[in-house]
Amino acid sequence: MKRFLIVALSVLALSATQTGLLAQTTSGAQGTSGAQKTKTMNASGMVKSVSGDSLVVTSNGKDMTFTVDGTTKFVGKGLGTKAAGGKLTATDAVSANDRVRVAYHDMGGTMHAATVTVTSKGSAAAPKK
C-alpha cells in the first residue's frame, strides 16, 4: 500500500510538471509572435567619431557604425552627474579617442547601441607635424 501511494504521488507530480511546461511553452510562443527578441552582442574599441544619432567605433581594425537614440544608455565615470541636468546625448557622453564597450542588437541590418560604457576617456590626438 505504501509503494502504491509513492508511485501514485510520483505520477501525479510528473503529470503536473508536464502540464506546467506545456502551458509555459504555449504562452512563450504567443509572446514571440508580435515582437522578436534579438541577441545582445558586444564590441569594444576606440571611438572614431560621434554624432547625435550615430557612433563609429574601431574594433580589431574594423570600423563599426552604431545607431544611437533616446533609448541608448551611457555608462561611465561622471556621466551620472552630467545626466542629472537633463537627458544625456551621445555627443555629451562620448568623444573621439575614448575607449568604449558597446552592447548592441542587430535590428534589420542596423546595429543599434543599447548600452555604451566608457571604459577610459581618450586624450586629444597630438597634432601631426
Side-chain angles (χ1 to χ4, degrees), residues 13-64:
L14 287 174
S15 65
T17 305
Q18 291 296 327
T19 305
L21 288 175
L22 179 61
Q24 185 177 18
T25 303
T26 304
S27 66
Q30 290 172 350
T32 57
S33 63
Q36 294 180 348
K37 288 191 175 186
T38 58
K39 182 180 174 186
T40 301
M41 296 171 275
N42 293 296
S44 296
M46 186 174 293
V47 175
K48 185 174 183 178
S49 65
V50 62
S51 69
D53 62 352
S54 70
L55 175 68
V56 180
V57 175
T58 303
S59 178
N60 296 325
K62 181 176 128 185
D63 287 349
M64 302 176 76

Side-chain angles (χ1 to χ4, degrees), residues 53-114:
D53 62 352
S54 70
L55 175 68
V56 180
V57 175
T58 303
S59 178
N60 296 325
K62 181 176 128 185
D63 287 349
M64 302 176 76
T65 303
F66 300 98
T67 301
V68 178
D69 61 15
T71 62
T72 303
K73 285 178 49 179
F74 294 95
V75 180
K77 188 174 181 180
L79 294 181
T81 305
K82 281 186 179 181
K87 185 67 179 161
L88 195 61
T89 64
T91 54
D92 293 334
V94 183
S95 58
N97 299 321
D98 287 353
R99 300 216 40 89
V100 295
R101 182 176 59 248
V102 181
Y104 66 97
H105 306 281
D106 187 356
M107 301 178 93
T110 302
M111 294 184 291
H112 176 264

